[in-house]
Amino acid sequence: MRCLLSKKIIASLCVSLLLLISFISIIPKNSYAYSQNTNEKIIYLTFDDGPSKKVTEDVLDILQAYKVKATFFVVGEQFKGNESVLKRIHNEGHSLGLHSYTHNFSKLYNGNIVNQEFFIGEMLECQKELKEITGVESTILRFPGGSHKRLSDSLLDELNKHNLKVYDWTHSSEDAVNLKSPPCKLFKNSLKKIPSCKKAPGAILLMHCNGSNKNSVKALPLIIEHYQKEGYKFLTITPNTPVYHCE
Ligand SMILES: [Zn+2]
């Protein structure tokens, strides 16, 4: 009887040992790096349509108070008179991206067909002036209205030739859809991922900072506090950020 019992104990110990060995073998060897790469919560705050005196500067004040960095896709036509705002964006560690020179949809697009030469010309003009003011040669860009249905293979080839990289968004505050939307609505919008958006380098939140986006300024602290509480890391888009086109 005793012999039978000890055989049972040895057998169960063997099974436990085998289970332990097989469990260890399925843990990735670099489990720390693995979780860092796949599970890290990252958000890119992005502000389009600036620079503007009051609103962009208010946004910068809030970012400074919360010690977070963001990306500004700026419009060339608005540089004159706002040079100090552009310099401040750069000096405070934020990223600067191109958002065309005129933001004029009827010149940039013919329906959804992009006037390629004109489009690239506007981006390069924006890039040139931005460099003259800040010393930064930006190669990241966002299409006015987004690249969805507008980014053809031939345009992508042309953009690649100029080393320009395209970034859309995965989340939208919808602050440009209705300028009268209250800050709490913009905040709620900012938490929803756009369902059609596939794998991105993180949450990319679309906001705006031209002179009329006053409610975006009021919503921003709520948005930052929420994502900070959720453990998100705030990063800027740089040429090293994987490109992101929303399908
Ligand atoms: Zn825009």
Side-chain angles (χ1 to χ4, degrees), residues 48-49 75 99 103 105 143-145 208:
D48 292 7
D49 297 2
V75 176
H99 196 48
H103 206 278
F105 277 48
F143 282 53
H208 295 80

Side-chain angles (χ1 to χ4, degrees), residues 60-235:
L60 287 167
D61 289 344
I62 293 168
L63 296 173
Q64 193 172 45
Y66 284 92
K67 296 187 174 67
V68 297
K69 304 297 178 198
T71 303
F72 293 79
F73 289 99
V74 289
V75 176
E77 232 173 37
Q78 288 164 215
F79 290 178
K80 207 168 182 328
N82 288 321
E83 291 86 347
S84 61
V85 184
L86 290 171
K87 284 179 189 161
R88 189 180 161 196
I89 291 172
H90 176 57
N91 291 340
E92 294 186 1
H94 306 292
S95 188
L96 280 160
L98 315 171
H99 196 48
S100 82
Y101 200 85
T102 62
H103 206 278
N104 185 326
F105 277 48
S106 60
K107 286 184 185 168
L108 293 163
Y109 312 128
N110 179 10
N112 276 332
I113 312 284
V114 179
N115 297 323
Q116 287 200 20
E117 212 172 307
F118 187 83
F119 181 92
I120 290 178
E122 283 226 354
M123 292 299 176
L124 295 178
E125 187 60 21
C126 182
Q127 182 188 55
K128 183 171 155 274
E129 285 198 19
L130 190 59
K131 190 175 179 186
E132 282 165 7
I133 296 165
T134 64
V136 178
E137 185 167 275
S138 176
T139 55
I140 60 169
L141 74 83
R142 176 169 285 160
F143 282 53
S147 76
H148 180 58
K149 291 187 178 169
R150 295 183 174 126
L151 184 57
S152 63
D153 289 346
S154 71
L155 178 54
L156 191 57
D157 283 349
E158 283 304 308
L159 291 169
N160 286 337
K161 275 183 205 161
H162 293 281
N163 198 27
L164 295 171
K165 295 179 168 137
V166 178
Y167 297 88
D168 285 317
W169 54 89
T170 62
H171 294 60
S172 173
S173 63
E174 296 184 19
D175 57 348
V177 177
N178 177 3
L179 293 173
K180 287 182 183 158
S181 285
C184 61
K185 176 91 169 68
L186 304 183
F187 166 65
K188 276 185 196 157
N189 293 340
S190 302
L191 312 185
K192 289 181 287 187
K193 186 168 187 270
I194 299 167
S196 59
C197 290
K198 292 180 193 159
K199 205 168 171 3
I204 305 177
L205 175 62
L206 171 67
M207 298 188 78
H208 295 80
C209 66
N210 73 20
S212 52
N213 299 115
K214 295 184 177 69
N215 282 352
S216 311
V217 175
K218 292 178 190 157
L220 185 56
L222 303 173
I223 294 166
I224 294 174
E225 282 172 26
H226 168 82
Y227 281 104
Q228 278 184 332
K229 227 177 279 168
E230 292 289 311
Y232 277 76
K233 195 169 168 180
F234 292 72
L235 296 184

